[in-house]
Amino acid sequence: MGEKIKKLSLKWKLFFYLICFCAILLGILWLFQTVMLDYFYRSIKSVEIKSSADTLSRNIDRQDLSYLLEDIAKEGELSIRIVSEDASVLYAEDFNSSSVFRKMSPQDFLAIISAANANGGIYDVKNAFSYLDTRIEPAQGKDFDRREPSPIPGQSFTYAKITKTAEGKTVAIILNAMISPVNATVTTLRYQLYVVTAIMLILSVILALFMAKRVSKPIEEINKSAKLLATGNYDTQFCGKGFLEINELSETLNTTANELLKVESLRRELLANISHDLRTPISLIYSYAEVMHDFPDEITPKQTQIIMDEADRLSRLVNDILDISKLESGNQELNLTVYNLTESISATTNRVAELIKQEGYKLSFNYAREVEVCADETKITQVIYNLLINAINYTGSDKTITIKQLIIDDYVRIEVSDSGEGISPDDLPHIWDRYYKVDKNHRRAITGTGLGLSIVKKVISLHQGKYGVESQVGMGSTFWFSLKFKNMF
Ligand code: ADP
């Protein structure tokens, strides 16, 4: 059953729940209106009659007692007798002429008074009506007192309260309320309920259809657009309206579609760039190899160096692409070890400095003390290497690159600063994106893959570290990252 409901469309599910809700409501209504009506009616009557008796008892000495009696009789549809101990009637008020009191003899009143006296001054309602019914209904019977009380609920309630007046006279307040049989009412109500049930069913069908349409229509539209998106149509716009959640969903999907569109255009750009990047070193390698093949005696170290450099560039490009795809696939695990970060950076810096010494680059690494971190050394070295390569590529004419190690609270922060052109505020937020290159014209001197910083971002994020850049056009750039070095991970 549960499985079946799960598979139902929203429309039918809504309908099902609405019908269940109506069924419960109707069930309660039926229960109260038919089965329990008699019980409620009798309970209310019983409470009313008791409170009327109390009111009268409190006001027994009032001059205008007869008026009060009239009011109470009218309001509660009651017949009232106030009788003295010897059953002589002091006050009488009947709501209608069919009052049972009119059929009662002084002996009957005496019987009630004595029963009340025996019961602490109160003549109990239940006893009252069963007693009276068995006594009064046969009307002709004169030997009521000897009859057993009838177990069938009677047609009226009788309640008596013995009280004393200010003069010390004992009087009995006897009230009688007619109980109209609820059977007729129940039949009427039942017919009404049939009609109400039918109306409710029709209404819930209409409501379910209406609600389902309002809820499922935007979802269906979003689904349609999502299917379009899945076919690679990234311009798809999602326009689900009507509900907060659906609005949010379509906004999220719009953002997703936009992101996909961006990635797609970056991917196309990258393909163009990569093929350009690949073609140039390959053609260079080919032409120099050709020269070397044709003139083996004229091979110069410059030629072999060019072939080596270009092959190196090729492998860097391929490695970057492999790295980022591995990092992005999410199954890259960190090989965490505790190692001396300062020493590792120092070694990398020295290695790079040695390579570019001849070209006049100056690299310096400043630190106050050595720190250890728990991190993946190979990956962090790659981060430093990427930042260094960028700094070397983009630094200004003084060819200076400064690396700093700072300690801020529990974090060690590594800064790589250059004196280059800096990055414009428009480009700053995007440089961490894959394949993003500020210089689209692709200057030959600077050969980037557009992946270096996204590798930095991924690796540092995997280490739960922070990263960033401070740069102003014309003022150089400072790229930084920080890792926790105390109580690590
Ligand atoms: P690339 O391989 O092209 O350098 P990156 O992801 O490392 O790719 O960098 C993205 C872009 O950020 C670069 O194309 C460059 O425009 C800019 N950039 C990175 N580092 C620097 C820097 N030190 N100075 C100026 N611009 C930089």
Side-chain angles (χ1 to χ4, degrees):
M1 175 74 178
E3 264 304 300
K4 253 187 194 167
I5 289 177
K6 257 186 224 161
K7 279 184 203 146
L8 285 176
S9 77
L10 187 70
K11 203 183 319 187
W12 290 110
K13 238 187 207 183
L14 262 176
F15 180 62
F16 176 77
Y17 290 136
L18 259 173
I19 292 289
C20 287
F21 178 69
C22 284
I24 294 170
L25 259 182
L26 285 170
I28 296 172
L29 211 61
W30 275 88
L31 192 73
F32 278 80
Q33 298 277 59
T34 58
V35 184
M36 288 165 80
L37 189 66
D38 190 55
Y39 169 77
F40 278 123
Y41 176 64
R42 281 171 189 275
S43 307
I44 292 165
K45 272 279 172 203
S46 150
V47 170
E48 269 178 14
I49 202 170
K50 272 184 200 167
S51 93
S52 300
D54 289 342
T55 313
L56 285 172
S57 151
R58 276 197 306 276
N59 296 289
I60 196 77
D61 294 313
R62 261 168 68 163
Q63 294 297 316
D64 57 348
L65 187 61
S66 56
Y67 293 115
L68 182 67
L69 226 65
E70 200 181 325
D71 286 348
I72 290 178
K74 218 182 259 171
E75 202 184 302
E77 299 182 2
L78 299 168
S79 297
I80 308 172
R81 293 289 182 277
I82 297 183
V83 294
S84 63
E85 265 178 311
D86 58 1
S88 54
V89 177
L90 305 173
Y91 292 96
E93 188 65 52
D94 288 328
F95 169 70
N96 62 23
S97 56
S98 64
S99 160
V100 286
F101 292 147
R102 296 196 179 180
K103 300 180 208 163
M104 282 168 70
S105 64
Q107 282 91 332
D108 292 326
F109 288 126
L110 278 176
I112 291 175
I113 292 168
S114 67
N117 276 329
N119 193 33
I122 300 284
Y123 189 80
D124 189 63
V125 171
K126 245 186 222 159
N127 293 340
F129 68 74
S130 49
Y131 170 82
L132 276 173
D133 289 339
T134 47
R135 288 161 54 92
I136 304 304
E137 285 311 316
Q140 314 89 341
K142 289 285 167 205
D143 53 344
F144 326 108
D145 294 339
R146 267 165 275 129
R147 288 196 182 192
E148 285 294 306
S150 157
I152 306 151
Q155 298 303 303
S156 68
F157 281 170
T158 299
Y159 184 83
K161 185 170 176 151
I162 309 292
T163 189
K164 268 196 173 20
T165 61
E167 296 157 11
K169 260 197 338 190
T170 304
V171 290
I173 303 162
I174 308 171
L175 301 100
N176 179 270
M178 291 305 290
I179 303 289
S180 12
V182 291
N183 287 355
T185 321
V186 168
T187 316
T188 319
L189 280 175
R190 190 167 293 146
Y191 280 110
Q192 276 191 1
L193 276 173
Y194 285 140
V195 179
V196 170
T197 309
I199 293 172
M200 292 266 267
L201 276 176
I202 294 166
L203 277 182
S204 52
V205 172
I206 295 170
L207 200 64
L209 290 177
F210 172 74
M211 276 171 62
K213 208 168 175 186
R214 287 223 40 187
V215 177
S216 65
K217 202 151 182 229
I219 296 179
E220 274 167 22
E221 268 170 23
I222 288 180
N223 192 24
K224 224 190 274 170
S225 306
K227 278 183 184 158
L228 261 178
L229 183 71
T231 58
N233 195 339
Y234 300 121
D235 302 334
T236 315
Q237 276 296 315
F238 292 86
C239 48
K241 286 192 201 82
F243 303 93
L244 183 68
E245 291 82 355
I246 289 176
N247 281 358
E248 275 176 13
L249 176 67
S250 46
E251 265 168 37
T252 313
L253 286 169
N254 275 331
T255 320
T256 314
N258 279 344
E259 285 301 309
L260 282 172
L261 193 63
K262 254 195 251 166
V263 170
E264 178 63 11
S265 64
L266 283 172
R267 193 184 63 82
R268 285 202 190 129
E269 207 173 283
L270 168 88
L271 259 170
N273 288 346
I274 287 183
S275 37
H276 177 274
D277 280 354
L278 288 176
R279 216 179 302 127
T280 325
I282 287 172
S283 59
L284 271 173
I285 290 171
Y286 184 83
S287 47
Y288 276 97
E290 204 174 31
V291 172
M292 287 158 82
H293 178 266
D294 293 347
F295 309 101
D297 302 334
E298 291 172 27
I299 297 174
T300 61
K302 202 181 154 217
Q303 289 169 333
T304 46
Q305 187 59 48
I306 286 174
I307 292 185
M308 276 154 62
D309 283 352
E310 293 305 313
D312 183 48
R313 233 149 64 80
L314 268 182
S315 78
R316 223 173 58 217
L317 187 68
V318 172
N319 283 340
D320 269 6
I321 294 170
L322 284 179
D323 280 345
I324 196 74
S325 60
K326 246 193 275 167
L327 282 168
E328 300 228 318
S329 67
N331 49 23
Q332 184 79 353
E333 294 222 339
L334 291 177
N335 180 17
L336 295 176
T337 50
V338 176
Y339 75 99
N340 189 323
L341 178 74
T342 321
E343 212 174 86
S344 168
I345 296 178
S346 204
T348 315
T349 317
N350 287 340
R351 235 183 359 256
V352 176
E354 195 57 38
L355 276 174
I356 54 173
K357 203 165 59 188
Q358 281 118 340
E359 292 167 50
Y361 287 99
K362 285 174 276 258
L363 250 73
S364 61
F365 178 36
N366 307 325
Y367 59 92
R369 66 176 174 94
E370 297 195 356
V371 284
E372 287 197 329
V373 290
C374 176
D376 187 323
E377 186 171 359
T378 323
K379 292 217 163 51
I380 296 293
T381 306
Q382 190 184 5
V383 165
I384 291 161
Y385 190 72
N386 285 2
L387 295 180
L388 276 181
I389 296 279
N390 278 353
I392 293 163
N393 278 338
Y394 297 99
T395 196
S397 50
D398 63 353
K399 298 194 169 181
T400 317
I401 292 115
T402 318
I403 304 132
K404 263 192 227 156
Q405 176 195 281
L406 304 166
I407 287 164
I408 304 163
D409 300 330
D410 289 354
Y411 286 87
V412 50
R413 174 169 159 135
I414 306 295
E415 293 185 352
V416 179
S417 313
D418 64 65
S419 58
E421 286 172 20
I423 305 162
S424 75
D426 289 346
D427 290 314
L428 264 186
H430 305 294
I431 55 171
W432 306 92
D433 293 348
R434 277 167 298 166
Y435 316 135
Y436 189 85
K437 288 184 187 185
V438 173
D439 182 9
K440 302 258 169 17
N441 294 334
H442 226 63
R443 277 181 288 150
R444 186 71 194 103
I446 298 168
T447 53
T449 54
L451 293 172
L453 288 182
S454 51
I455 293 175
V456 171
K457 173 179 152 181
K458 267 276 164 197
V459 170
I460 301 298
S461 304
L462 275 177
H463 281 83
Q464 277 137 42
K466 293 177 191 146
Y467 59 88
V469 58
E470 279 137 31
S471 182
Q472 273 181 4
V473 178
M475 307 278 285
S477 320
T478 297
F479 281 83
W480 62 268
F481 70 88
S482 60
L483 296 173
K484 218 172 184 185
F485 75 91
K486 255 197 258 167
N487 314 321
M488 296 141 240
F489 305 101

